[in-house]
Amino acid sequence: MNLLTVFMAAQGGGDYSFLIMMVAIFAIMYFFMIRPQNKKQKEIQNFRKNLEVGQAVITAGGIYGKIKEIEDNAVIVEIAPSVKIKVDKNSIYADAQAQATNTNK
């Protein structure tokens, strides 16, 4: 017997409790999972739009560096004196200085 027939048999036919329960579960999932994830994605997107030369950043691969140049879809990041790498803008993850202050608290 599948799960749906078990719920329908337990419900008794004309009862809307199953429908209300499913709507409540979806609402809980939305407010605790989907909405916070969308908010976090918007914050990261705004961070990437406002990148500035000289800003300390962390890439998605965990490389710490300082922005030297900003191109259309890429960023030149200096990871050591005279060592520069070209990184896709979408792989810039966080502000290194903000991360450092958060870990020191």
Side-chain angles (χ1 to χ4, degrees):
M1 216 186 281
N2 66 16
L3 192 58
L4 184 59
T5 38
V6 171
F7 283 133
M8 295 301 280
Q11 180 177 85
D15 198 346
Y16 287 106
S17 62
F18 178 73
L19 182 62
I20 292 170
M21 182 178 63
M22 292 305 290
V23 169
I25 289 172
F26 179 75
I28 290 169
M29 284 181 56
Y30 175 77
F31 283 110
F32 286 108
M33 295 174 67
I34 299 169
R35 188 169 173 252
Q37 182 65 27
N38 288 341
K39 186 177 177 183
K40 181 73 172 173
Q41 285 177 347
K42 285 182 184 178
E43 289 175 6
I44 292 172
Q45 194 173 35
N46 283 337
F47 169 73
R48 289 178 182 151
K49 284 181 185 176
N50 298 323
L51 290 175
E52 298 174 354
V53 173
Q55 184 175 10
V57 294
I58 304 171
T59 67
I63 299 172
Y64 285 71
K66 224 176 230 186
I67 296 176
K68 290 297 178 183
E69 294 178 40
I70 299 175
E71 299 173 0
D72 289 336
N73 294 324
V75 177
I76 306 296
V77 179
E78 185 177 45
I79 57 174
S82 301
V83 179
K84 296 177 184 174
I85 58 174
K86 188 174 188 177
V87 180
D88 187 45
K89 228 180 206 183
N90 291 328
S91 70
I92 300 293
Y93 179 69
D95 186 4
Q97 293 171 345
Q99 290 286 43
T101 58
N102 287 342
T103 57
N104 291 336
K105 288 184 181 179

